Amino acid sequence: MTSTPRPHDLLWLTTLDALEGISDAWVKNAWHIGLPVVVRRDVDANGRIPVGVRGLKRDQRAAGWVKPEHIARVVSPEQLAEENDLLRSAFITQPPVQVAVQLCRQQWPWCWGITGSTGYALATGIPVIHADSDLDLLIRAPLPLLPADLRLWQSQLSHALCRADTQVDTPRGGFALAEWLRDGKTLLKTELGPRLVSDPWSGEK
């Protein structure tokens, strides 16, 4: 691994005991190294990567840690948003994937990717999405983006085949795009917890 995984990246681990800090009983029965964990926001003094494990049930979520040397493979949300791969996907008939294909066919002034259950399904082939599933999206925004461009993105999604939610990832944390466009403020999810801000890039209230 040459770079530090970022929030929302999917990680495959080298061994079962690479997953640290989780005591939830269901994890032992539901998770194995053939399934990825997802990078979450947190900080560890010893340099471990914060990760989350998902089970097949909606309430099965657990938070743990992984040492970088135990990461075998990384797949980013952006890698899952390739039009040709989506068209070949076993899930192409599902509304979330069709909406993602439509987004791929347009030019956007940022990098974006697919997260949540749709991203998990695309990365693993496990059918955790259905006709009523949401589409969770991620925009990488190392620099401030024009609100007019973001409103165009949001407007298109408001007429999509399924509900779609977008998180915007800035150097200071992540925020919900719809909330920020609607209220002018948003809860910025940082490594140290959420903060209410008006400018997610500067962190100013």
Side-chain angles (χ1 to χ4, degrees):
M1 188 184 66
T2 58
S3 60
T4 302
R6 298 178 293 178
H8 303 286
D9 284 352
L10 294 173
L11 312 180
W12 279 257
L13 309 183
T14 55
T15 62
L16 283 173
D17 58 7
L19 192 58
E20 302 177 5
I22 293 182
S23 58
D24 303 59
W26 65 264
V27 174
K28 185 175 181 180
N29 297 321
W31 182 80
H32 55 80
I33 60 171
L35 298 175
V37 296
V38 62
V39 179
R40 57 187 178 84
R41 294 187 193 280
D42 207 337
V43 63
D44 179 58
N46 297 316
R48 295 180 300 174
I49 307 298
V51 298
V53 181
R54 67 176 292 157
L56 293 179
K57 296 180 180 178
R58 200 173 187 86
D59 62 345
Q60 289 181 331
R61 301 290 187 270
W65 304 88
V66 172
K67 292 177 180 174
E69 60 266 29
H70 292 152
I71 297 172
R73 178 186 172 210
V74 180
V75 171
S76 70
E78 295 93 320
Q79 289 175 270
L80 300 173
E82 295 290 338
E83 182 180 352
N84 289 337
D85 292 338
L86 292 172
L87 291 172
R88 289 193 296 265
S89 167
F91 307 109
I92 184 57
T93 59
Q94 300 292 355
V97 178
Q98 294 181 19
V99 173
V101 169
Q102 292 170 0
L103 291 172
C104 286
R105 290 175 172 169
Q106 299 177 64
Q107 295 294 320
W108 301 102
W110 49 65
C111 292
W112 65 275
I114 304 169
T115 63
S117 59
T118 303
Y120 192 88
L122 291 169
T124 64
I126 298 174
V128 293
I129 58 173
H130 48 77
D132 296 324
S133 291
D134 296 347
L135 174 61
D136 294 306
L137 298 162
L138 178 72
I139 290 176
R140 301 283 192 192
L143 297 173
L145 301 174
L146 292 175
D149 290 337
L150 292 169
R151 288 192 186 94
L152 181 61
W153 168 279
Q154 190 66 17
S155 176
Q156 175 160 330
L157 292 177
S158 69
H159 300 97
L161 293 172
C162 67
R163 176 184 169 87
D165 294 309
T166 304
Q167 285 279 318
V168 181
D169 191 54
T170 79
R172 293 184 178 272
F175 67 93
L177 177 60
E179 179 185 52
W180 185 62
L181 291 177
R182 182 187 66 236
D183 301 336
K185 293 196 172 201
T186 185
L187 275 178
L188 185 67
K189 300 173 185 174
T190 76
E191 292 179 345
L192 302 177
R195 296 181 57 232
L196 185 63
V197 301
S198 58
D199 185 341
W201 286 271
S202 71
E204 292 181 358
K205 294 183 178 182

